[in-house]
Amino acid sequence: MKTLAIETSCDETSVAVLGNRGEVLANLVSSQVAVHAPYLGVVPELAARHHVEVLPRLVAALGKQGLLADLGLVAVTQGPGLIGSLLVGTCYASAFAYARGLPLSAVDHLEGHLVSPFMNLEGLPAEEIPEGTLTLVVSGGHSSYFLFSQGKGVPLNRTRDDAAGEVFDKVAAALGLGYPGGPVVDRLAEAGDPSAFRFSPPRIKDPQGELDFSFSGLKSAVIRQAQELGVTPLPDPQNPPLVALDLLASFRATVVEWLLQPLDVLCERHRPPVVAVAGGVAANRLLRQELKRWGERARIPVRIPPLALTTDNAAMIGRAGQLRGAAGLFADPLGLEPYPRVSWKGTGERGTGKRVFPPLTSP
Ligand code: KG4
Ligand code: ZN
């Protein structure tokens, strides 16, 4: 029995079909980058309209490939994300599941990112997530370490302000490098000197949040420096001066250094058997390279998802949906409500201030 998965939480429309052990049989992603690029960020109403247009076409494409036969489950992102975008996916998935009499699995977008390092695009079964795995989820909306404990993902820190991907996007926008900023900053940074500029780390006084991230001060400092250099925007973005490349390289190196900083302490405390990274920023070349190096030094295996599974995709939602289904958690297709913000719903830990996922035990 196969799983049809649908992801429409932000600006990518994605559908996937998985074998019942998490084998990715198809993973189609339709990017809206060109639609939002002129606005230097995602315009929610435009995103929702594009999902309405594109989603049925992508599902029809799966049907043409004969992939919609023998379905046993429909999985969809319930939240967090843009409410209009989520509504398109949840309504479509609910109607599809109801019409075909299939069980429906409502997935948290972060659960999807968390399972992605244990998936592959070679059509092989997904791996089980080892107990105690430590995963950095780092994207346009999130920057947190999670620990897998007794089948649950428990957050260990968070960002006090901007997410790392958001900062890549805002710095790139200030320099006139378009949207999304992460990939272009990453590429240009390769040609710069990462030690050319130094930025002071944030001071977080709250002892409870000693391992928390904070990126907004760095964002302001980089943009201020860029203004002083007269590169906001770059006169010729195709041909940036060396000093701008140095600034971007130093910025990227600082983000990566800060993201990896809590690792030693977290590993000492939790002794994870595996360390993983997930989310759009996990596509960053320097982050991938530095995490691998860290793993070699610490002698801890490191799991990094294939590039296509770092940014938003339905395959990861399908796998998280299967794990939820195996734990007996299903949604009502006649009453599925999306949620825009990070949710404590259904966790049994409401009010503790801690976000804990429902069990993600393997079948
Ligand atoms: O996971 P994702 O597709 O969507 C969210 O859930 O937010 O992540 C998108 C984010 C964007 O901020 C984008 O700029 C960033 O991931 N990103 C990168 C790279 N590729 C994408 N950031 C740094 N380096 C990259 N190579
Ligand atoms: Zn995401």
Side-chain angles (χ1 to χ4, degrees):
M1 296 288 252
K2 299 196 287 270
T3 297
L4 168 67
I6 293 175
E7 150 67 34
T8 63
S9 66
C10 191
D11 62 335
E12 325 263 51
T13 320
S14 181
V15 299
V17 175
L18 270 61
N20 70 346
R21 290 157 70 206
E23 305 93 327
V24 181
L25 306 177
N27 182 44
L28 308 180
V29 182
S30 167
S31 166
Q32 299 181 5
V33 161
V35 175
H36 303 287
Y39 307 97
L40 299 178
V42 177
V43 182
E45 177 60 22
L46 290 182
R49 284 188 219 170
H50 276 263
H51 289 310
V52 170
E53 260 179 51
V54 174
L55 180 56
R57 287 195 219 150
L58 291 186
V59 175
L62 293 174
K64 271 199 193 137
Q65 292 175 41
L67 288 166
L68 298 181
D70 302 325
L71 288 177
L73 180 70
V74 179
V76 65
T77 308
Q78 187 182 9
L82 301 171
I83 193 69
S85 294
L86 289 165
L87 271 166
V88 179
T90 51
C91 288
Y92 190 98
S94 297
F96 191 100
Y98 187 74
R100 291 223 186 176
L102 292 169
L104 178 66
S105 184
V107 174
D108 186 288
H109 184 77
L110 284 179
E111 281 173 16
H113 279 306
L114 277 170
V115 301
S116 67
F118 298 91
M119 301 179 69
N120 64 82
L121 292 169
E122 278 94 60
L124 302 172
E127 288 168 58
E128 216 166 288
I129 305 166
E131 172 73 7
T133 296
L134 180 67
T135 305
L136 171 64
V137 178
V138 65
S139 70
H142 311 278
S143 306
S144 281
Y145 278 94
F146 286 88
L147 188 74
F148 260 98
S149 171
Q150 299 179 348
K152 294 175 177 178
V154 184
L156 300 175
N157 75 339
R158 64 188 171 101
T159 171
R160 293 289 171 125
D161 36 60
D162 296 357
E166 197 181 345
V167 173
F168 272 103
D169 294 338
K170 288 185 178 156
V171 165
L175 270 77
L177 289 169
Y179 174 86
V184 57
V185 169
D186 193 18
R187 182 169 51 77
L188 294 176
E190 292 284 305
D193 172 6
S195 61
F197 296 88
R198 306 262 346 137
F199 302 101
S200 13
R203 262 180 246 129
I204 295 172
K205 292 194 187 108
D206 174 5
Q208 294 271 325
E210 45 165 354
L211 296 177
D212 282 358
F213 298 121
S214 167
F215 291 108
S216 76
L218 174 66
K219 171 188 68 185
S220 308
V222 173
I223 294 176
R224 221 176 305 121
Q225 186 66 64
Q227 282 163 345
E228 278 169 29
L229 296 172
V231 293
T232 50
L234 283 159
D236 177 7
Q238 299 305 323
N239 242 330
L242 195 54
V243 68
L245 299 178
D246 288 347
L247 180 62
L248 292 177
S250 306
F251 161 61
R252 179 181 70 161
T254 307
V255 174
V256 170
E257 186 192 324
W258 293 3
L259 284 174
L260 298 184
Q261 205 140 46
L263 259 181
D264 288 328
V265 174
L266 289 176
C267 286
E268 217 173 280
R269 276 185 204 165
H270 301 285
R271 308 241 159 239
V274 184
V275 168
V277 66
V281 182
N284 189 272
R285 290 169 229 210
L286 187 67
L287 179 59
R288 294 169 84 88
Q289 187 183 309
E290 288 300 311
L291 184 60
K292 266 187 216 147
R293 277 203 195 131
W294 175 89
E296 280 158 21
R297 269 201 315 274
R299 295 175 193 226
I300 296 182
V302 160
R303 301 304 303 260
I304 302 175
L307 278 181
L309 294 180
T310 57
T311 41
D312 292 347
N313 65 86
M316 66 184 192
I317 301 303
R319 182 59 185 157
Q322 291 182 336
L323 295 176
R324 267 182 176 251
L329 296 161
F330 295 99
D332 175 6
L334 295 179
L336 180 60
E337 281 181 32
Y339 52 82
R341 298 189 182 283
V342 166
S343 164
W344 280 262
K345 253 190 197 171
T347 62
E349 304 256 342
R350 194 190 281 263
T352 61
K354 284 223 158 176
R355 181 161 182 276
V356 182
F357 295 127
L360 276 176
T361 1
S362 300

